[in-house]
Amino acid sequence: MLRIACPYCGERDQVEFTYGGDAASGFPALADADLDRWTDAVFIRDNPRGEHRELWQHQHGCRQWLYVVRDTVTHAIQSVVPARDASPAAGADGR
Amino acid sequence: MPEQRSALAAVYRPGRIGAPEGPAAVILSERLSRTLVQVCGWRDSFPQLCRGLEALLSCAIPGDGLRAVSHAGRSIFRVGPERLWVAGAADDDLLRTFVTQAPGEDAVVTEIGHSRTVVRVAGAQARTLLNRGLPVDLDHSVFPVDAFAQSVIHHIPVLVHRTGPEGEAVFDVYVTRDYAVSFWEWLTRVAQALGGQIREAE
């Protein structure tokens, strides 16, 4: 069970959150009709061992989307920031 | 404003539950005489909106989602970065006026009292009862008077607010109306094991 420190509500239990997917992967421009790029963006995911940037929504709390950096081996959470304060390109920790 | 009809009308039965005699470990009551107003704003203009609300309500606006501010019979919750709930009595003229006034472009004001059922859970075992389903520590040292948490009980979204008086375990639980009966069934079933009393709705 994860405990995620919501920037607005404090540290809360995983049951309050919904996983929103890989935060590091972006999508092509809507005008981009290249099927391979869209297939890659929609279906293909890395399965990294270690640091992973991901989106979570505090669905039963403040309803805000969060960028979370989590270690997939230890489940240790390194950082949590509001998604609106971090660009997807930069990642959850601003790097 | 139309008369509020309880979502629990079909299942609400005042009286003892569980142990038929002795002091009630938990006391449950529905709070019908409440109104709830949601105020939403935008990031750039929200501080200014809060200053206006502070002048209107004569109290500070909470800065986080951890502690409410209670003043003059109202409780103000910051339920999101730019979203507030103001709970007050059903006959609170200031709140009623506030809802009907045009808020301008800096705020969206919505009366949402009829979409929530408020249940008061009190008594010596109130914390034990809620913590059978609530994944939030309600100990007074970390959840004092006016602390609140938006969370989930029995897969049902709730807002739990610790009200006064100091030193007593009294919690108001705000539940979405759709799930009020399911929540009530869970609450009374767990309360049966502890021994409790259901009071007339306030």
Side-chain angles (χ1 to χ4, degrees):
Chain A
M1 183 66 76
L2 295 176
R3 299 275 292 173
I4 298 175
C6 172
Y8 303 106
C9 307
E11 187 179 274
R12 293 301 183 81
D13 205 275
Q14 183 185 340
V15 296
E16 297 179 9
F17 296 84
T18 302
Y19 181 65
D22 187 344
S25 63
F27 286 90
L30 287 176
D32 187 343
D34 186 275
L35 191 58
D36 288 338
R37 276 198 290 273
W38 274 103
T39 301
D40 188 53
V42 173
F43 297 108
I44 307 302
R45 290 287 176 272
D46 294 334
N47 185 22
R49 184 180 190 278
E51 182 181 291
H52 190 228
R53 298 171 181 187
E54 44 201 38
L55 280 165
W56 289 78
Q57 188 193 18
H58 197 185
Q59 186 184 12
H60 294 302
C62 57
R63 278 74 167 168
Q64 298 302 297
W65 282 94
L66 308 170
Y67 274 119
V68 176
V69 179
R70 181 177 65 91
D71 191 304
T72 58
V73 178
T74 64
H75 290 303
I77 291 175
Q78 295 165 21
S79 67
V80 185
V81 295
R84 66 184 188 175
D85 291 338
S87 71
D93 51 359
R95 282 184 281 167
Chain B
M1 192 175 290
E3 183 184 348
Q4 188 163 351
R5 181 177 162 81
S6 169
L8 301 175
V11 294
Y12 199 84
R13 302 280 181 274
R16 293 299 298 253
I17 48 174
E21 294 176 352
V26 289
I27 299 165
L28 312 178
S29 56
E30 184 183 8
R31 304 197 72 196
L32 270 176
S33 56
R34 302 291 286 170
T35 190
L36 185 61
V37 174
Q38 178 172 270
V39 182
C40 295
W42 284 265
R43 193 174 192 177
D44 53 347
S45 58
F46 197 69
Q48 186 182 347
L49 173 64
C50 287
R51 284 193 290 276
L53 286 173
E54 285 175 348
L56 182 73
L57 302 173
S58 305
C59 67
I61 299 299
D64 60 39
L66 305 170
R67 293 289 291 271
V69 171
S70 294
H71 175 75
R74 305 182 191 99
S75 292
I76 308 168
F77 308 94
R78 191 153 188 157
V79 294
E82 284 92 32
R83 191 166 64 241
L84 301 168
W85 280 7
V86 186
D91 58 356
D92 189 325
D93 288 334
L94 183 64
L95 284 186
R96 288 160 72 167
T97 308
F98 184 51
V99 171
T100 53
Q101 282 176 344
E105 293 186 349
D106 287 342
V108 178
V109 181
T110 316
E111 205 285 322
I112 58 170
H114 291 211
S115 74
R116 294 292 186 283
T117 292
V118 185
V119 175
R120 174 158 284 185
V121 181
Q125 296 290 323
R127 180 186 155 204
T128 305
L129 169 59
L130 289 173
N131 274 149
R132 294 276 168 93
L134 183 74
V136 175
D137 188 355
L138 297 179
D139 186 83
H140 190 270
S141 62
V142 291
F143 203 84
V145 170
D146 263 337
F148 80 96
Q150 298 178 91
S151 187
V152 61
I153 294 178
H154 194 50
H155 301 285
I156 297 168
V158 294
L159 183 151
V160 179
H161 174 215
R162 185 174 203 140
T163 64
E166 196 74 47
E168 291 185 24
V170 183
F171 302 92
D172 281 353
V173 185
Y174 294 73
V175 189
T176 48
R177 186 182 178 91
D178 315 40
Y179 293 109
V181 171
S182 295
F183 176 74
W184 185 252
E185 286 174 350
W186 176 87
L187 192 69
T188 51
R189 194 164 297 162
V190 178
Q192 264 190 336
L194 300 168
Q197 181 184 12
I198 300 172
R199 289 193 175 156
E200 295 286 346
E202 301 168 26

